[in-house]
Tab-separated table of all heavy atoms in Angstrom:
chain	number	residue	atom	x	y	z
A	514	MET	N	2.412	41.259	-95.108
A	514	MET	CA	3.045	40.656	-96.307
A	514	MET	C	3.009	41.647	-97.476
A	514	MET	O	1.940	42.264	-97.704
A	514	MET	CB	2.292	39.339	-96.650
A	514	MET	CG	2.903	38.570	-97.804
A	514	MET	SD	4.326	37.632	-97.300
A	514	MET	CE	3.634	36.258	-96.446
A	515	GLN	N	4.037	41.745	-98.209
A	515	GLN	CA	4.093	42.583	-99.421
A	515	GLN	C	4.327	41.667	-100.605
A	515	GLN	O	5.040	40.709	-100.518
A	515	GLN	CB	5.220	43.527	-99.351
A	515	GLN	CG	4.978	44.734	-98.462
A	515	GLN	CD	6.083	45.783	-98.695
A	515	GLN	OE1	6.190	46.462	-99.717
A	515	GLN	NE2	6.961	45.917	-97.702
A	516	THR	N	3.753	42.020	-101.701
A	516	THR	CA	4.023	41.275	-102.962
A	516	THR	C	4.480	42.336	-104.035
A	516	THR	O	3.881	43.378	-104.181
A	516	THR	CB	2.707	40.627	-103.492
A	516	THR	OG1	2.260	39.755	-102.467
A	516	THR	CG2	3.017	39.770	-104.737
A	517	VAL	N	5.579	41.949	-104.710
A	517	VAL	CA	6.057	42.799	-105.756
A	517	VAL	C	6.392	41.977	-106.957
A	517	VAL	O	6.875	40.866	-106.859
A	517	VAL	CB	7.314	43.621	-105.235
A	517	VAL	CG1	8.498	42.738	-104.951
A	517	VAL	CG2	7.698	44.718	-106.242
A	518	THR	N	6.080	42.510	-108.156
A	518	THR	CA	6.446	41.866	-109.384
A	518	THR	C	7.525	42.699	-110.058
A	518	THR	O	7.323	43.861	-110.340
A	518	THR	CB	5.202	41.745	-110.304
A	518	THR	OG1	4.240	40.853	-109.641
A	518	THR	CG2	5.584	41.072	-111.622
A	519	LEU	N	8.691	42.033	-110.233
A	519	LEU	CA	9.847	42.663	-110.788
A	519	LEU	C	10.077	42.240	-112.265
A	519	LEU	O	9.948	41.032	-112.578
A	519	LEU	CB	11.071	42.252	-110.047
A	519	LEU	CG	11.012	42.460	-108.467
A	519	LEU	CD1	12.154	41.695	-107.840
A	519	LEU	CD2	11.028	43.886	-108.130
A	520	THR	N	10.356	43.223	-113.070
A	520	THR	CA	10.749	42.934	-114.460
A	520	THR	C	12.291	42.898	-114.546
A	520	THR	O	12.947	43.818	-114.065
A	520	THR	CB	10.273	44.064	-115.432
A	520	THR	OG1	8.832	44.116	-115.267
A	520	THR	CG2	10.669	43.737	-116.846
A	521	ILE	N	12.821	41.768	-115.037
A	521	ILE	CA	14.299	41.522	-115.020
A	521	ILE	C	14.667	41.168	-116.424
A	521	ILE	O	14.583	40.075	-116.911
A	521	ILE	CB	14.641	40.449	-114.041
A	521	ILE	CG1	14.114	40.809	-112.633
A	521	ILE	CG2	16.099	40.200	-114.042
A	521	ILE	CD1	14.285	39.720	-111.565
A	522	PRO	N	15.138	42.158	-117.220
A	522	PRO	CA	15.488	41.979	-118.628
A	522	PRO	C	16.485	40.888	-118.870
A	522	PRO	O	16.505	40.320	-119.931
A	522	PRO	CB	15.991	43.410	-119.082
A	522	PRO	CG	15.418	44.303	-118.107
A	522	PRO	CD	15.326	43.561	-116.798
A	523	SER	N	17.425	40.625	-117.943
A	523	SER	CA	18.448	39.672	-118.203
A	523	SER	C	18.023	38.233	-118.012
A	523	SER	O	18.831	37.304	-118.206
A	523	SER	CB	19.713	39.972	-117.360
A	523	SER	OG	19.365	39.961	-116.004
A	524	ILE	N	16.764	37.948	-117.718
A	524	ILE	CA	16.285	36.608	-117.622
A	524	ILE	C	16.168	36.051	-119.063
A	524	ILE	O	15.663	36.701	-119.986
A	524	ILE	CB	14.834	36.513	-117.078
A	524	ILE	CG1	14.935	36.805	-115.544
A	524	ILE	CG2	14.157	35.133	-117.292
A	524	ILE	CD1	13.576	36.914	-114.859
A	525	SER	N	16.844	34.879	-119.314
A	525	SER	CA	16.757	34.300	-120.609
A	525	SER	C	16.228	32.905	-120.707
A	525	SER	O	15.887	32.404	-121.783
A	525	SER	CB	18.169	34.399	-121.321
A	525	SER	OG	19.124	33.630	-120.484
A	526	CYS	N	16.219	32.205	-119.560
A	526	CYS	CA	15.719	30.828	-119.638
A	526	CYS	C	15.289	30.378	-118.251
A	526	CYS	O	15.400	31.141	-117.229
A	526	CYS	CB	16.841	29.881	-120.160
A	526	CYS	SG	18.223	29.746	-119.036
A	527	SER	N	14.892	29.166	-118.068
A	527	SER	CA	14.378	28.632	-116.846
A	527	SER	C	15.424	28.511	-115.756
A	527	SER	O	15.204	28.630	-114.575
A	527	SER	CB	13.676	27.249	-117.044
A	527	SER	OG	14.619	26.324	-117.510
A	528	HIS	N	16.698	28.383	-116.235
A	528	HIS	CA	17.805	28.369	-115.249
A	528	HIS	C	17.929	29.695	-114.521
A	528	HIS	O	18.310	29.718	-113.337
A	528	HIS	CB	19.126	27.996	-115.921
A	528	HIS	CG	19.121	26.701	-116.562
A	528	HIS	ND1	19.230	25.519	-115.844
A	528	HIS	CD2	19.010	26.273	-117.829
A	528	HIS	CE1	19.191	24.473	-116.636
A	528	HIS	NE2	19.031	24.885	-117.890
A	529	CYS	N	17.714	30.765	-115.253
A	529	CYS	CA	17.770	32.102	-114.623
A	529	CYS	C	16.672	32.163	-113.534
A	529	CYS	O	16.966	32.638	-112.431
A	529	CYS	CB	17.440	33.153	-115.624
A	529	CYS	SG	18.623	33.265	-116.990
A	530	ILE	N	15.481	31.699	-113.812
A	530	ILE	CA	14.446	31.681	-112.801
A	530	ILE	C	14.859	30.859	-111.579
A	530	ILE	O	14.659	31.291	-110.435
A	530	ILE	CB	13.109	31.095	-113.415
A	530	ILE	CG1	12.686	31.868	-114.683
A	530	ILE	CG2	12.039	31.033	-112.354
A	530	ILE	CD1	12.143	33.248	-114.402
A	531	HIS	N	15.459	29.716	-111.877
A	531	HIS	CA	15.926	28.845	-110.784
A	531	HIS	C	17.001	29.560	-109.912
A	531	HIS	O	16.916	29.506	-108.696
A	531	HIS	CB	16.469	27.553	-111.330
A	531	HIS	CG	16.947	26.574	-110.299
A	531	HIS	ND1	16.144	25.760	-109.545
A	531	HIS	CD2	18.181	26.348	-109.822
A	531	HIS	CE1	16.843	25.123	-108.664
A	531	HIS	NE2	18.132	25.388	-108.856
A	532	THR	N	17.909	30.198	-110.515
A	532	THR	CA	18.988	30.913	-109.795
A	532	THR	C	18.397	32.002	-108.965
A	532	THR	O	18.716	32.172	-107.780
A	532	THR	CB	20.010	31.485	-110.823
A	532	THR	OG1	20.577	30.451	-111.573
A	532	THR	CG2	21.125	32.203	-110.072
A	533	ILE	N	17.559	32.796	-109.584
A	533	ILE	CA	16.902	33.907	-108.890
A	533	ILE	C	16.094	33.420	-107.688
A	533	ILE	O	16.168	33.971	-106.622
A	533	ILE	CB	15.999	34.681	-109.878
A	533	ILE	CG1	16.940	35.492	-110.850
A	533	ILE	CG2	15.045	35.674	-109.110
A	533	ILE	CD1	16.126	36.006	-112.073
A	534	THR	N	15.318	32.347	-107.908
A	534	THR	CA	14.461	31.827	-106.810
A	534	THR	C	15.326	31.363	-105.653
A	534	THR	O	15.040	31.664	-104.504
A	534	THR	CB	13.632	30.654	-107.359
A	534	THR	OG1	12.791	31.125	-108.467
A	534	THR	CG2	12.755	30.079	-106.296
A	535	THR	N	16.419	30.618	-105.965
A	535	THR	CA	17.316	30.134	-104.867
A	535	THR	C	17.914	31.332	-104.131
A	535	THR	O	17.881	31.270	-102.847
A	535	THR	CB	18.430	29.313	-105.458
A	535	THR	OG1	17.848	28.238	-106.207
A	535	THR	CG2	19.338	28.670	-104.431
A	536	GLU	N	18.345	32.305	-104.806
A	536	GLU	CA	19.005	33.459	-104.127
A	536	GLU	C	17.996	34.223	-103.274
A	536	GLU	O	18.291	34.560	-102.148
A	536	GLU	CB	19.595	34.425	-105.142
A	536	GLU	CG	20.851	33.898	-105.887
A	536	GLU	CD	22.055	33.741	-104.902
A	536	GLU	OE1	22.139	34.555	-103.972
A	536	GLU	OE2	22.900	32.872	-105.165
A	537	LEU	N	16.843	34.443	-103.857
A	537	LEU	CA	15.824	35.278	-103.088
A	537	LEU	C	15.266	34.536	-101.921
A	537	LEU	O	15.021	35.094	-100.876
A	537	LEU	CB	14.713	35.725	-104.048
A	537	LEU	CG	15.133	36.751	-105.095
A	537	LEU	CD1	13.873	37.192	-105.902
A	537	LEU	CD2	15.807	37.954	-104.516
A	538	MET	N	15.104	33.172	-102.028
A	538	MET	CA	14.566	32.372	-100.937
A	538	MET	C	15.529	32.332	-99.745
A	538	MET	O	15.159	32.008	-98.658
A	538	MET	CB	14.179	30.976	-101.384
A	538	MET	CG	12.947	30.887	-102.299
A	538	MET	SD	11.428	31.569	-101.526
A	538	MET	CE	11.100	30.328	-100.284
A	539	SER	N	16.827	32.637	-100.029
A	539	SER	CA	17.795	32.628	-98.966
A	539	SER	C	17.752	33.890	-98.129
A	539	SER	O	18.425	34.036	-97.082
A	539	SER	CB	19.196	32.394	-99.504
A	539	SER	OG	19.668	33.580	-100.106
A	540	ILE	N	16.966	34.903	-98.543
A	540	ILE	CA	16.820	36.114	-97.748
A	540	ILE	C	15.750	35.859	-96.689
A	540	ILE	O	14.650	35.426	-96.972
A	540	ILE	CB	16.337	37.290	-98.691
A	540	ILE	CG1	17.348	37.568	-99.768
A	540	ILE	CG2	16.097	38.543	-97.845
A	540	ILE	CD1	16.827	38.514	-100.822
A	541	THR	N	16.124	36.190	-95.410
A	541	THR	CA	15.181	36.045	-94.310
A	541	THR	C	13.965	36.946	-94.535
A	541	THR	O	14.103	38.134	-94.762
A	541	THR	CB	15.807	36.364	-92.970
A	541	THR	OG1	17.017	35.544	-92.836
A	541	THR	CG2	14.896	36.069	-91.831
A	542	GLY	N	12.769	36.387	-94.509
A	542	GLY	CA	11.553	37.126	-94.725
A	542	GLY	C	10.905	36.965	-96.048
A	542	GLY	O	9.746	37.254	-96.227
A	543	VAL	N	11.677	36.422	-96.987
A	543	VAL	CA	11.091	36.115	-98.318
A	543	VAL	C	10.325	34.786	-98.180
A	543	VAL	O	10.872	33.779	-97.765
A	543	VAL	CB	12.122	36.026	-99.443
A	543	VAL	CG1	11.519	35.536	-100.739
A	543	VAL	CG2	12.756	37.402	-99.653
A	544	LYS	N	9.009	34.870	-98.595
A	544	LYS	CA	8.148	33.680	-98.354
A	544	LYS	C	7.953	32.880	-99.580
A	544	LYS	O	7.790	31.661	-99.577
A	544	LYS	CB	6.767	34.140	-97.826
A	544	LYS	CG	6.788	35.027	-96.584
A	544	LYS	CD	7.235	34.275	-95.362
A	544	LYS	CE	7.210	35.207	-94.129
A	544	LYS	NZ	7.940	34.683	-93.026
A	545	LYS	N	7.805	33.597	-100.720
A	545	LYS	CA	7.495	32.878	-101.979
A	545	LYS	C	8.039	33.618	-103.150
A	545	LYS	O	8.031	34.838	-103.240
A	545	LYS	CB	5.972	32.756	-102.076
A	545	LYS	CG	5.493	31.827	-103.176
A	545	LYS	CD	3.951	31.789	-103.180
A	545	LYS	CE	3.459	30.952	-104.342
A	545	LYS	NZ	1.986	31.076	-104.497
A	546	VAL	N	8.621	32.884	-104.097
A	546	VAL	CA	9.131	33.422	-105.330
A	546	VAL	C	8.616	32.635	-106.539
A	546	VAL	O	8.719	31.443	-106.556
A	546	VAL	CB	10.657	33.432	-105.380
A	546	VAL	CG1	11.208	34.018	-106.657
A	546	VAL	CG2	11.264	34.130	-104.144
A	547	THR	N	7.949	33.346	-107.460
A	547	THR	CA	7.540	32.665	-108.687
A	547	THR	C	8.065	33.496	-109.899
A	547	THR	O	8.092	34.743	-109.845
A	547	THR	CB	6.021	32.563	-108.801
A	547	THR	OG1	5.435	33.824	-108.602
A	547	THR	CG2	5.487	31.560	-107.775
A	548	GLY	N	8.480	32.799	-110.886
A	548	GLY	CA	9.070	33.545	-112.051
A	548	GLY	C	8.505	33.026	-113.374
A	548	GLY	O	8.041	31.886	-113.459
A	549	ASP	N	8.520	33.906	-114.319
A	549	ASP	CA	8.090	33.483	-115.668
A	549	ASP	C	9.170	33.986	-116.706
A	549	ASP	O	9.429	35.185	-116.790
A	549	ASP	CB	6.783	34.125	-115.985
A	549	ASP	CG	6.229	33.688	-117.301
A	549	ASP	OD1	5.814	32.515	-117.429
A	549	ASP	OD2	6.302	34.501	-118.291
A	550	GLU	N	9.759	33.046	-117.400
A	550	GLU	CA	10.849	33.385	-118.329
A	550	GLU	C	10.335	34.042	-119.533
A	550	GLU	O	11.065	34.843	-120.194
A	550	GLU	CB	11.674	32.126	-118.675
A	550	GLU	CG	10.964	31.135	-119.537
A	550	GLU	CD	11.398	29.720	-119.345
A	550	GLU	OE1	11.211	29.212	-118.181
A	550	GLU	OE2	11.922	29.125	-120.217
A	551	GLN	N	9.096	33.853	-119.953
A	551	GLN	CA	8.528	34.424	-121.175
A	551	GLN	C	8.349	35.930	-120.963
A	551	GLN	O	8.690	36.736	-121.842
A	551	GLN	CB	7.149	33.835	-121.501
A	551	GLN	CG	7.211	32.295	-121.747
A	551	GLN	CD	8.056	31.926	-122.916
A	551	GLN	OE1	8.162	32.691	-123.878
A	551	GLN	NE2	8.749	30.793	-122.783
A	552	THR	N	7.796	36.295	-119.823
A	552	THR	CA	7.545	37.732	-119.593
A	552	THR	C	8.728	38.335	-118.842
A	552	THR	O	8.698	39.572	-118.619
A	552	THR	CB	6.285	37.939	-118.717
A	552	THR	OG1	6.356	37.155	-117.516
A	552	THR	CG2	5.075	37.444	-119.484
A	553	ARG	N	9.735	37.598	-118.477
A	553	ARG	CA	10.873	38.041	-117.721
A	553	ARG	C	10.476	38.793	-116.431
A	553	ARG	O	10.958	39.889	-116.156
A	553	ARG	CB	11.775	38.911	-118.625
A	553	ARG	CG	12.343	38.111	-119.780
A	553	ARG	CD	13.099	38.901	-120.708
A	553	ARG	NE	13.652	37.983	-121.712
A	553	ARG	CZ	14.363	38.336	-122.799
A	553	ARG	NH1	14.675	39.566	-123.034
A	553	ARG	NH2	14.755	37.429	-123.634
A	554	THR	N	9.554	38.171	-115.715
A	554	THR	CA	9.160	38.755	-114.438
A	554	THR	C	9.303	37.723	-113.346
A	554	THR	O	9.245	36.523	-113.526
A	554	THR	CB	7.636	39.198	-114.562
A	554	THR	OG1	6.840	38.110	-114.904
A	554	THR	CG2	7.479	40.330	-115.453
A	555	VAL	N	9.562	38.249	-112.138
A	555	VAL	CA	9.590	37.473	-110.917
A	555	VAL	C	8.667	38.152	-109.893
A	555	VAL	O	8.778	39.390	-109.670
A	555	VAL	CB	11.042	37.393	-110.421
A	555	VAL	CG1	11.088	36.777	-109.052
A	555	VAL	CG2	11.889	36.581	-111.403
A	556	THR	N	7.848	37.345	-109.282
A	556	THR	CA	6.930	37.887	-108.230
A	556	THR	C	7.424	37.372	-106.916
A	556	THR	O	7.638	36.164	-106.694
A	556	THR	CB	5.457	37.436	-108.470
A	556	THR	OG1	5.064	37.968	-109.760
A	556	THR	CG2	4.543	37.974	-107.447
A	557	VAL	N	7.614	38.287	-105.963
A	557	VAL	CA	8.200	37.926	-104.651
A	557	VAL	C	7.198	38.368	-103.576
A	557	VAL	O	6.714	39.443	-103.548
A	557	VAL	CB	9.513	38.733	-104.419
A	557	VAL	CG1	10.177	38.192	-103.165
A	557	VAL	CG2	10.401	38.586	-105.598
A	558	GLU	N	6.900	37.394	-102.682
A	558	GLU	CA	6.111	37.692	-101.453
A	558	GLU	C	7.099	37.774	-100.303
A	558	GLU	O	7.876	36.809	-100.083
A	558	GLU	CB	5.090	36.591	-101.237
A	558	GLU	CG	3.918	36.652	-102.221
A	558	GLU	CD	2.891	35.522	-101.965
A	558	GLU	OE1	2.764	35.076	-100.805
A	558	GLU	OE2	2.294	35.108	-102.952
A	559	PHE	N	7.061	38.826	-99.564
A	559	PHE	CA	7.998	38.925	-98.445
A	559	PHE	C	7.460	39.761	-97.271
A	559	PHE	O	6.443	40.445	-97.378
A	559	PHE	CB	9.291	39.657	-98.935
A	559	PHE	CG	9.122	41.036	-99.441
A	559	PHE	CD1	9.406	42.101	-98.646
A	559	PHE	CD2	8.659	41.278	-100.746
A	559	PHE	CE1	9.295	43.400	-99.095
A	559	PHE	CE2	8.542	42.639	-101.209
A	559	PHE	CZ	8.862	43.673	-100.399
A	560	ASP	N	8.097	39.607	-96.186
A	560	ASP	CA	7.712	40.267	-94.923
A	560	ASP	C	9.046	40.716	-94.306
A	560	ASP	O	10.115	40.262	-94.671
A	560	ASP	CB	7.022	39.210	-94.050
A	560	ASP	CG	5.722	39.775	-93.458
A	560	ASP	OD1	5.677	40.997	-93.217
A	560	ASP	OD2	4.770	38.976	-93.308
A	561	THR	N	8.927	41.513	-93.226
A	561	THR	CA	10.101	41.936	-92.523
A	561	THR	C	10.830	40.732	-91.960
A	561	THR	O	10.138	39.747	-91.628
A	561	THR	CB	9.732	42.889	-91.337
A	561	THR	OG1	8.697	42.305	-90.577
A	561	THR	CG2	9.302	44.252	-91.848
A	562	PRO	N	12.190	40.730	-91.924
A	562	PRO	CA	13.045	41.865	-92.165
A	562	PRO	C	13.440	42.083	-93.631
A	562	PRO	O	14.231	42.955	-93.928
A	562	PRO	CB	14.332	41.450	-91.386
A	562	PRO	CG	14.327	39.957	-91.397
A	562	PRO	CD	12.911	39.558	-91.443
A	563	ALA	N	12.829	41.316	-94.562
A	563	ALA	CA	13.143	41.531	-95.989
A	563	ALA	C	12.548	42.861	-96.449
A	563	ALA	O	11.468	43.244	-95.952
A	563	ALA	CB	12.618	40.387	-96.833
A	564	THR	N	13.276	43.534	-97.311
A	564	THR	CA	12.740	44.786	-97.872
A	564	THR	C	12.938	44.749	-99.394
A	564	THR	O	13.792	43.946	-99.893
A	564	THR	CB	13.490	46.071	-97.363
A	564	THR	OG1	14.874	45.954	-97.744
A	564	THR	CG2	13.355	46.123	-95.822
A	565	LEU	N	12.244	45.627	-100.076
A	565	LEU	CA	12.446	45.717	-101.504
A	565	LEU	C	13.852	46.067	-101.841
A	565	LEU	O	14.440	45.597	-102.841
A	565	LEU	CB	11.434	46.704	-102.069
A	565	LEU	CG	11.431	46.896	-103.657
A	565	LEU	CD1	11.236	45.576	-104.322
A	565	LEU	CD2	10.355	47.896	-104.035
A	566	GLU	N	14.488	46.966	-101.004
A	566	GLU	CA	15.851	47.372	-101.263
A	566	GLU	C	16.808	46.144	-101.179
A	566	GLU	O	17.711	45.995	-101.989
A	566	GLU	CB	16.233	48.435	-100.276
A	566	GLU	CG	17.538	49.153	-100.638
A	566	GLU	CD	17.969	50.209	-99.647
A	566	GLU	OE1	17.422	50.253	-98.537
A	566	GLU	OE2	18.841	50.969	-99.993
A	567	ILE	N	16.649	45.339	-100.158
A	567	ILE	CA	17.501	44.157	-100.018
A	567	ILE	C	17.368	43.262	-101.211
A	567	ILE	O	18.322	42.749	-101.831
A	567	ILE	CB	17.193	43.372	-98.742
A	567	ILE	CG1	17.545	44.187	-97.476
A	567	ILE	CG2	17.834	42.024	-98.701
A	567	ILE	CD1	17.055	43.622	-96.150
A	568	ILE	N	16.088	43.000	-101.615
A	568	ILE	CA	15.772	42.163	-102.765
A	568	ILE	C	16.486	42.709	-104.039
A	568	ILE	O	17.143	41.982	-104.787
A	568	ILE	CB	14.300	42.018	-102.943
A	568	ILE	CG1	13.693	41.199	-101.805
A	568	ILE	CG2	13.922	41.381	-104.302
A	568	ILE	CD1	12.202	41.232	-101.677
A	569	ARG	N	16.315	44.037	-104.218
A	569	ARG	CA	16.974	44.628	-105.379
A	569	ARG	C	18.438	44.497	-105.346
A	569	ARG	O	19.068	44.208	-106.381
A	569	ARG	CB	16.524	46.123	-105.381
A	569	ARG	CG	16.824	46.824	-106.635
A	569	ARG	CD	16.484	48.292	-106.527
A	569	ARG	NE	16.285	48.839	-107.822
A	569	ARG	CZ	17.264	49.069	-108.732
A	569	ARG	NH1	18.460	48.704	-108.395
A	569	ARG	NH2	17.040	49.548	-109.870
A	570	ASP	N	19.107	44.669	-104.156
A	570	ASP	CA	20.495	44.578	-104.059
A	570	ASP	C	21.017	43.247	-104.398
A	570	ASP	O	22.074	43.044	-105.071
A	570	ASP	CB	20.967	45.024	-102.680
A	570	ASP	CG	20.913	46.503	-102.446
A	570	ASP	OD1	20.663	47.246	-103.398
A	570	ASP	OD2	21.098	46.967	-101.283
A	571	VAL	N	20.318	42.161	-103.865
A	571	VAL	CA	20.736	40.819	-104.137
A	571	VAL	C	20.638	40.533	-105.609
A	571	VAL	O	21.570	39.928	-106.177
A	571	VAL	CB	19.883	39.774	-103.291
A	571	VAL	CG1	20.038	38.369	-103.795
A	571	VAL	CG2	20.215	39.894	-101.833
A	572	LEU	N	19.592	40.957	-106.252
A	572	LEU	CA	19.406	40.692	-107.641
A	572	LEU	C	20.459	41.408	-108.493
A	572	LEU	O	21.040	40.868	-109.502
A	572	LEU	CB	18.062	41.155	-108.155
A	572	LEU	CG	16.862	40.231	-107.658
A	572	LEU	CD1	15.516	40.897	-107.970
A	572	LEU	CD2	16.963	38.859	-108.304
A	573	THR	N	20.774	42.630	-108.106
A	573	THR	CA	21.814	43.408	-108.870
A	573	THR	C	23.182	42.719	-108.725
A	573	THR	O	23.934	42.615	-109.673
A	573	THR	CB	21.882	44.853	-108.285
A	573	THR	OG1	20.530	45.425	-108.444
A	573	THR	CG2	22.917	45.640	-108.999
A	574	GLU	N	23.435	42.193	-107.491
A	574	GLU	CA	24.734	41.520	-107.254
A	574	GLU	C	24.938	40.262	-108.169
A	574	GLU	O	26.002	39.996	-108.548
A	574	GLU	CB	24.734	41.043	-105.799
A	574	GLU	CG	25.948	41.337	-104.974
A	574	GLU	CD	25.780	41.105	-103.569
A	574	GLU	OE1	25.816	39.919	-103.133
A	574	GLU	OE2	25.494	42.024	-102.860
A	575	ILE	N	23.842	39.607	-108.502
A	575	ILE	CA	23.943	38.403	-109.330
A	575	ILE	C	23.608	38.678	-110.776
A	575	ILE	O	23.243	37.798	-111.596
A	575	ILE	CB	23.109	37.211	-108.773
A	575	ILE	CG1	21.634	37.557	-108.706
A	575	ILE	CG2	23.617	36.797	-107.380
A	575	ILE	CD1	20.688	36.354	-108.382
A	576	ASN	N	23.632	39.993	-111.179
A	576	ASN	CA	23.427	40.411	-112.542
A	576	ASN	C	22.003	40.197	-113.057
A	576	ASN	O	21.816	39.911	-114.283
A	576	ASN	CB	24.433	39.800	-113.477
A	576	ASN	CG	25.868	40.288	-113.179
A	576	ASN	OD1	26.048	41.489	-113.022
A	576	ASN	ND2	26.800	39.362	-113.037
A	577	TYR	N	21.000	40.236	-112.144
A	577	TYR	CA	19.640	40.219	-112.572
A	577	TYR	C	18.978	41.460	-112.018
A	577	TYR	O	17.984	41.418	-111.267
A	577	TYR	CB	18.946	38.938	-112.026
A	577	TYR	CG	19.422	37.664	-112.785
A	577	TYR	CD1	20.127	36.745	-112.102
A	577	TYR	CD2	19.037	37.447	-114.103
A	577	TYR	CE1	20.550	35.544	-112.754
A	577	TYR	CE2	19.433	36.352	-114.791
A	577	TYR	CZ	20.175	35.356	-114.059
A	577	TYR	OH	20.611	34.235	-114.740
A	578	GLU	N	19.476	42.632	-112.455
A	578	GLU	CA	18.888	43.877	-111.915
A	578	GLU	C	17.508	44.127	-112.467
A	578	GLU	O	17.288	44.043	-113.692
A	578	GLU	CB	19.781	45.008	-112.345
A	578	GLU	CG	19.504	46.310	-111.704
A	578	GLU	CD	20.366	47.445	-112.100
A	578	GLU	OE1	21.349	47.188	-112.772
A	578	GLU	OE2	20.155	48.566	-111.584
A	579	PRO	N	16.559	44.388	-111.567
A	579	PRO	CA	15.180	44.675	-112.023
A	579	PRO	C	15.168	46.056	-112.712
A	579	PRO	O	15.817	46.977	-112.265
A	579	PRO	CB	14.341	44.576	-110.776
A	579	PRO	CG	15.277	44.685	-109.620
A	579	PRO	CD	16.684	44.352	-110.102
A	580	SER	N	14.299	46.169	-113.686
A	580	SER	CA	14.248	47.495	-114.421
A	580	SER	C	13.058	48.319	-113.965
A	580	SER	O	12.924	49.467	-114.385
A	580	SER	CB	14.147	47.221	-115.927
A	580	SER	OG	12.948	46.498	-116.224
A	581	ASN	N	12.207	47.812	-113.113
A	581	ASN	CA	10.977	48.548	-112.792
A	581	ASN	C	10.885	48.976	-111.321
A	581	ASN	O	9.822	49.477	-110.915
A	581	ASN	CB	9.729	47.709	-113.177
A	581	ASN	CG	9.590	46.464	-112.344
A	581	ASN	OD1	10.575	45.913	-111.927
A	581	ASN	ND2	8.340	46.051	-112.052
A	582	VAL	N	11.962	48.792	-110.545
A	582	VAL	CA	11.927	49.298	-109.155
A	582	VAL	C	13.177	50.038	-108.864
A	582	VAL	O	14.186	49.853	-109.511
A	582	VAL	CB	11.764	48.175	-108.124
A	582	VAL	CG1	10.413	47.549	-108.202
A	582	VAL	CG2	12.888	47.142	-108.197
B	1940	LIG	CU1	18.904	31.464	-118.084
């Protein structure tokens, strides 16, 4: 299991966290997603076949590109 905390500048409210959580949980191998709208961070726990690259690509596709990975 890997855990990564992503900084996502385009997060502006709790709906953003909800959207991101729904999208990331649909990736096979993603186990847990928690987000904080105040710090604009999302923490993702994942295992194979999920990878950081896949997670990053999905977020970029929905306009929540992480700035720290
Ligand atoms: Cu929002």
Side-chain angles (χ1 to χ4, degrees):
M514 185 77 77
Q515 283 190 70
T516 304
V517 65
T518 298
L519 307 167
T520 302
I521 303 174
S523 56
I524 289 174
S525 60
C526 69
S527 61
H528 297 284
C529 298
I530 302 290
H531 180 78
T532 302
I533 289 166
T534 301
T535 303
E536 290 291 331
L537 293 184
M538 288 302 291
S539 74
I540 301 170
T541 305
V543 171
K544 307 291 184 197
K545 191 179 175 189
V546 179
T547 52
D549 184 74
E550 70 210 63
Q551 301 300 325
T552 57
R553 296 178 177 174
T554 56
V555 170
T556 299
V557 189
E558 288 178 30
F559 63 98
D560 229 326
T561 51
T564 63
L565 183 55
E566 193 182 14
I567 293 169
I568 290 166
R569 192 182 201 291
D570 285 352
V571 166
L572 288 170
T573 301
E574 227 168 79
I575 60 169
N576 294 313
Y577 289 111
E578 189 177 357
S580 62
N581 67 328
V582 292

